[in-house]
Structure formats: structure tokens, C-alpha cells
């Protein structure tokens, strides 16, 4: 019986030792739990790594087609649950600005949001019986009197990642098999279809479909000034001085009001300008709860002639499960 009692004591001692052995491990595990700020290196890895900045380290971009120099700067960017950007980006194109009115969204800077643009004389109106069919008919712009179309027309540009010059699709060229008609495409194989109307003007808009499934809805018109073109049309018989006519050119753009990825996530852009005014972006909102509210105030001083633009951006980040509606 004593032997049995010894055996029981030994088992109890073994259990006690086991308890004492495991108890500190649990306490140690709890004491070594990380605080949220201990894992900032996971959220901000770029702050702890040195990487090559690449050829655009100062925001500069050189066009391989015409050699043009531009600068692109992101002022505010909010990360979220999807890859669609919610950011305020602006762009400056280096060019001769003599006799040019700096009436861009941010004076001589432009809001760099997805758009389809071109230079017209002065409005985006096509030839033919239905001048508003800028997508489906795709005729050339109207030709002003005493000028050539090459004085202003350089085609349409799709300003999105993978965009570039827009081209009319060949009759036998392959297209997405989703039942839609795509009369346009780009060098990056982005397919472009037509919208029947736009909310702030006359004529058609565009819908673009990227190879990764991203859709862009271009249906908000905006304009800003471009340099005038002078054309000599004759000479004075008395003094020999030339008679000239001037062509007013304007940069026309259809901005995207909605961008949607193939998973149904979406970002919407809200504008407040008339069709013949510079783009005035007021809000960017994502289906996952991110948002930017933009307040723009312009001030013009006559002496010296200078245009000041004050920009205030308010942002919010309240991530949630997306519940977007699809682009028609």
C-alpha cells in the first residue's frame, strides 16, 4: 500500500512538474505579444528599404513618340483593399507657353485623372450630319475657314495606364467576345466602345476596357486654352504688310467618372465644371470606403499678371466590404 501511495505521489509530482514547466511558457507568450506599432515595418516597408528610384525619380516623363517632357506628382494617396488608386495627381507639360492662357485646373498644372483628349478648333465637333457622334461615326473634326486640319489636329490620346494614341479598329481585327462593339483601340490593346450621351454636354462618350478587365467610363467634358495659330492670308497692296487670320485652339478632354476593376471594385470621380471650362475635380470616392474631397479656389492678380490656385484636400479612410454597381 505504501508502494502504491509512493507511485501515486510520483505521478502527482510528475503532473505538478509538468504544470510548473508549462505555466511560464503561457505567461511568456502573453508578455511577448506585439503591439500594433511594433508591426509598422510591415505596413511601411519602403521606409526601411533602399531601392533604385528608376528613370522617373523626380516625376519626370519623356515621351518616346515626340520627345515631350512632363512632370507628374502625387500629392495625396490613400491605400485600400484593392489596387484602384484613390489619389490626387497633377501633371505639368513642358512647352512654349508664349501667348498661352494658363487656365488649367491648377494654373499651368493639370489634374492627372483618366481621360481621352485632343486639340480642336475650338470644340470637339465632327463633320457630317451628326456632329455629336464623336465615337460611333469617328469622322474628322470640322475644318475652319482658311486653315488646314494639321494646324490643330493630332488625333486622340487615351490617358490611362497602357493607353496612348487611339486608333480606329480594322474591320477584321479581333475584339472581346462579350457582345459589345468596340470601334476603337489603343496601342496597349485597350478596347473602346461608345456611350450614347454625356451628362454635361452634347454628343457621345466612351467606355474603355483594359486587358486586365478594368473599365473606364469617359463622360465628363472639359476644355482649356491652347496656343493660337496664325495664318497669313494676303498682303496689303499699299504697305506690303501681311494680313493674318488666327485660329483659336482648345484642349478638349472627356474625363472618367467611374473606374471599375474585374472584381467589381470601383472608384468614382465627381466634377463641377461646365463642358467648355477647365476640369474641376471635387471628389474621389472608392467602393471600399476611401475618399478625397477637393476644394479649389482661384485668384487672379492683374499687376503683375499672375494666377494663384489654392487647393485644399480632405481625405477619409473607412475601409469596408465593397458593394459597387457594375458599369453598364
Amino acid at each position: 500500500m505504501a508502494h502504491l501511495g509512493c507511485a501515486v505521489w510520483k505521478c502527482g509530482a510528475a503532473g505538478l512538474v509538468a504544470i510548473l514547466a508549462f505555466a511560464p511558457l503561457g505567461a511568456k507568450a502573453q508578455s511577448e505579444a506585439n503591439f500594433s506599432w511594433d508591426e509598422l515595418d510591415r505596413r511601411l516597408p519602403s521606409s526601411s528599404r533602399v531601392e533604385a528610384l528608376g528613370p522617373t525619380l523626380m516625376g519626370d516623363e519623356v515621351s518616346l513618340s515626340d520627345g515631350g517632357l512632363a512632370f507628374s506628382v502625387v500629392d495625396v494617396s490613400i491605400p485600400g483593399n484593392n489596387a484602384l488608386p484613390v489619389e490626387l495627381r497633377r501633371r505639368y507639360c513642358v512647352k512654349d507657353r508664349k501667348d498661352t492662357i494658363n487656365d488649367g485646373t491648377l494654373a499651368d498644372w493639370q489634374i492627372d485623372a483618366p481621360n481621352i483628349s485632343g486639340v480642336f478648333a475650338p470644340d470637339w465637333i465632327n463633320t457630317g450630319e451628326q456632329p455629336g457622334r464623336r465615337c460611333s461615326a469617328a469622322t474628322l473634326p470640322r475644318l475652319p475657314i482658311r486653315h488646314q486640319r494639321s494646324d490643330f489636329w493630332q488625333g486622340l490620346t487615351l490617358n490611362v495606364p497602357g493607353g496612348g494614341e487611339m486608333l480606329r479598329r480594322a474591320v477584321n481585327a479581333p475584339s472581346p467576345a462579350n457582345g459589345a462593339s468596340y470601334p476603337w483601340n489603343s496601342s496597349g490593346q485597350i478596347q473602346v466602345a461608345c456611350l450614347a450621351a454625356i451628362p454635361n454636354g452634347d454628343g457621345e462618350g466612351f467606355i474603355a476596357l483594359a486587358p486586365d478587365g478594368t473599365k473606364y467610363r469617359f463622360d465628363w467634358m472639359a476644355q482649356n486654352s491652347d496656343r493660337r495659330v496664325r495664318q497669313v492670308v494676303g498682303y496689303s497692296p499699299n504697305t506690303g504688310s501681311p494680313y493674318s487670320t488666327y485660329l483659336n485652339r482648345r484642349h478638349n478632354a472627356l474625363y472618367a467618372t467611374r473606374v471599375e476593376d474585374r472584381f467589381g471594385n470601383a472608384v468614382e470621380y465627381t466634377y463641377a465644371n461646365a463642358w467648355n471650362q477647365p476640369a474641376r475635380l471635387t471628389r474621389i470616392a472608392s467602393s471600399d470606403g476611401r475618399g478625397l474631397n477637393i476644394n479649389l479656389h482661384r485668384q487672379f492678380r492683374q499687376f503683375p499678371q499672375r494666377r494663384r490656385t489654392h487647393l485644399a484636400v480632405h481625405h477619409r479612410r473607412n475601409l469596408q466590404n465593397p458593394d459597387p454597381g457594375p458599369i453598364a
Side-chain angles (χ1 to χ4, degrees), residues 99-102 299-308:
D99 301 327
T100 301
I101 301 175
N102 292 325
Q299 182 180 12
F300 183 77
R301 295 176 57 187
Q302 187 174 2
F303 300 104
Q305 290 190 0
R306 183 178 302 171
R307 185 183 299 272
R308 292 182 177 179

Side-chain angles (χ1 to χ4, degrees), residues 268-271 280-285 291-294 316:
E268 294 186 346
Y269 298 80
T270 303
Y271 295 87
R280 186 173 181 179
L281 180 63
T282 59
R283 188 169 184 265
I284 305 174
L292 288 174
N293 293 323
I294 304 167
R316 60 177 173 82

Side-chain angles (χ1 to χ4, degrees), residues 100-306:
T100 301
I101 301 175
N102 292 325
D103 63 346
T105 306
L106 300 171
D108 49 0
W109 288 75
Q110 292 283 359
I111 291 292
D112 193 4
N115 67 85
I116 296 176
S117 65
V119 177
F120 294 83
D123 301 329
W124 192 339
I125 298 176
N126 294 343
T127 58
E129 297 180 356
Q130 296 177 312
R133 295 181 59 189
R134 58 180 63 96
C135 175
S136 57
T139 55
L140 292 174
R142 287 182 177 178
L143 181 62
I145 300 175
R146 297 179 178 177
H147 286 275
Q148 299 178 0
R149 193 170 278 112
S150 59
D151 290 339
F152 66 94
W153 179 241
Q154 300 296 328
L156 296 176
T157 302
L158 178 60
N159 299 300
V160 299
E165 184 180 7
M166 285 180 54
L167 302 173
R168 288 290 291 178
R169 176 185 299 279
V171 176
N172 298 325
S175 62
N178 58 2
S181 175
Y182 295 91
W184 299 82
N185 61 8
S186 73
S187 57
Q189 298 304 311
I190 296 179
Q191 316 302 321
V192 183
C194 301
L195 282 172
I198 61 176
N200 74 327
D202 298 328
E204 298 173 335
F206 298 85
I207 288 184
L209 176 63
D212 63 356
T214 303
K215 293 181 181 180
Y216 301 84
R217 184 183 183 93
F218 300 100
D219 60 353
W220 194 271
M221 180 71 75
Q223 286 187 2
N224 62 279
S225 300
D226 206 305
R227 291 187 64 184
R228 296 193 304 171
V229 173
R230 178 183 177 186
Q231 180 74 27
V232 177
V233 295
Y235 296 88
S236 171
N238 299 325
T239 62
S241 58
Y243 292 138
S244 300
T245 181
Y246 293 89
L247 176 64
N248 291 322
R249 302 184 300 181
R250 289 183 66 81
H251 181 269
N252 289 244
L254 275 172
Y255 283 86
T257 57
R258 184 179 175 90
V259 180
E260 181 184 316
D261 66 13
R262 61 192 179 96
F263 303 107
N265 304 303
V267 172
E268 294 186 346
Y269 298 80
T270 303
Y271 295 87
N273 59 280
W275 68 272
N276 57 352
Q277 295 177 341
R280 186 173 181 179
L281 180 63
T282 59
R283 188 169 184 265
I284 305 174
S286 174
S287 59
D288 64 1
R290 293 172 291 162
L292 288 174
N293 293 323
I294 304 167
N295 296 322
L296 188 66
H297 174 68
R298 294 187 179 92
Q299 182 180 12
F300 183 77
R301 295 176 57 187
Q302 187 174 2
F303 300 104
Q305 290 190 0
R306 183 178 302 171

